[in-house]
Amino acid sequence: MIIYPAIDIMNGRCVRLYKGNFTKCTKYQISPINVSKKFKQDGSKWLHIVDLDGAKNPEERQLNLIKKIIKESGLKVQTGGGIRSFEDIEKLIYIGTERIIIGSLSVKNPNLTKKIIKHFGPDRICLAADVLKDRNKYKIAVSGWQERSEINIYDFLSQYHQLGIKHILCTDVSKDGTMLGCNISLYDNLIKAFPELYFQASGGISNLDDLKNLSTSGAVIGKALYDGAFTL
């Protein structure tokens, strides 16, 4: 399993949201660059960056900060937040980003998303399959998790699986930032349905047993590290 320590950045600072809600934001005093260096020191190979400013407005994407984090930490970086065009991806690749996460675009404009996957290749792209539960079915969340689409996660993954997509970041929005444990059964069922895909679990990881019980190929960890529940 690959551990992806997470940095959510907003106005140049490290923050954490509760269930993706911008009004429930915890701000941390340590700088994103120092956090990334500490993750590297503790043995991490990858870093997961969510650009919350870019998510709200692509014109305010924190490219300079992300570039500096990549350069000074020496970590491989996957990042996302408001990716809406070829140009957004090209800019991130230019500054050294290893993998780009596509979320709402994959639901709102699947044709463009398919062209992006074909052009940049499946190793460069990670689909964000963020889900909200609706009557025992998991539906894809969009627009910064504030809206629930009517698309079932299995139907969503099926259409992109045919294109050769490899990496899937799946967040149970109801768990994100809660420290209440992750949705083990969700990931087990997804892996049974799509054994060829590389799933990253995200949301609710609170202790090492959560990681031991996960069958995913990766896990994104944020609040548990910042709050000292365990260390890398």
Side-chain angles (χ1 to χ4, degrees):
M1 176 185 284
I2 297 174
I3 301 298
Y4 297 83
I7 294 179
D8 290 4
I9 53 176
M10 185 164 63
N11 298 322
R13 299 178 63 179
C14 288
V15 302
R16 293 298 300 169
L17 303 185
Y18 181 80
K19 298 184 180 181
N21 191 331
F22 279 84
T23 66
K24 297 180 179 179
C25 175
T26 302
K27 299 176 181 178
Y28 296 90
Q29 295 303 314
I30 189 169
S31 77
I33 293 170
N34 288 340
V35 169
S36 65
K37 288 179 178 179
K38 182 64 166 59
F39 288 154
K40 171 75 170 182
Q41 180 184 328
D42 289 346
S44 183
K45 300 291 192 298
W46 280 86
L47 181 65
H48 174 87
I49 299 177
V50 179
D51 184 349
L52 294 173
D53 291 321
K56 289 191 289 185
N57 182 358
E59 297 299 319
E60 295 181 2
R61 195 177 308 284
Q62 299 179 79
L63 288 173
N64 289 334
L65 177 56
I66 295 171
K67 180 180 180 180
K68 195 169 183 180
I69 290 171
I70 292 170
K71 182 178 180 180
E72 296 198 20
S73 72
L75 293 168
K76 293 181 179 180
V77 166
Q78 68 172 21
T79 188
I83 303 299
R84 295 171 188 168
S85 67
F86 271 79
E87 185 180 18
D88 289 339
I89 295 172
E90 288 170 344
K91 287 178 179 178
L92 286 166
I93 290 176
Y94 181 76
I95 64 171
T97 305
E98 190 76 19
R99 190 183 298 147
I100 291 87
I101 302 163
I102 295 178
S104 296
L105 184 70
S106 62
V107 175
K108 296 181 176 181
N109 195 337
N111 288 333
L112 176 57
T113 303
K114 290 172 183 178
K115 290 177 182 177
I116 286 172
I117 294 169
K118 183 176 181 180
H119 180 80
F120 292 100
D123 283 321
R124 282 286 195 183
I125 304 298
C126 177
L127 288 187
D130 307 320
V131 295
L132 288 164
K133 198 170 187 179
D134 178 27
R135 289 171 291 182
N136 295 320
K137 292 185 178 180
Y138 288 97
K139 304 289 183 66
I140 300 295
V142 294
S143 301
W145 300 349
Q146 303 310 304
E147 301 175 26
R148 182 181 62 223
S149 74
E150 291 304 314
I151 302 174
N152 183 292
I153 187 172
Y154 293 95
D155 295 334
F156 172 78
L157 292 177
S158 290
Q159 67 169 320
Y160 287 109
H161 185 217
Q162 297 170 6
L163 297 174
I165 196 70
K166 294 181 180 179
H167 303 283
I168 307 294
L169 169 63
C170 183
T171 303
D172 181 344
V173 176
S174 70
K175 297 281 189 177
D176 186 71
T178 66
M179 295 278 288
L180 295 176
C182 56
N183 193 336
I184 301 294
S185 62
L186 169 64
Y187 301 116
D188 286 347
N189 290 331
L190 288 174
I191 290 167
K192 286 178 183 177
F194 303 97
E196 303 89 356
L197 298 181
Y198 299 109
F199 285 96
Q200 299 172 26
S202 174
I205 294 172
S206 60
N207 57 58
L208 295 179
D209 284 336
D210 285 334
L211 295 175
K212 292 175 183 176
N213 291 328
L214 278 170
S215 52
T216 54
S217 61
V220 174
I221 308 173
K223 188 174 177 60
L225 293 176
Y226 287 93
D227 289 359
F230 54 84
T231 66
L232 277 175

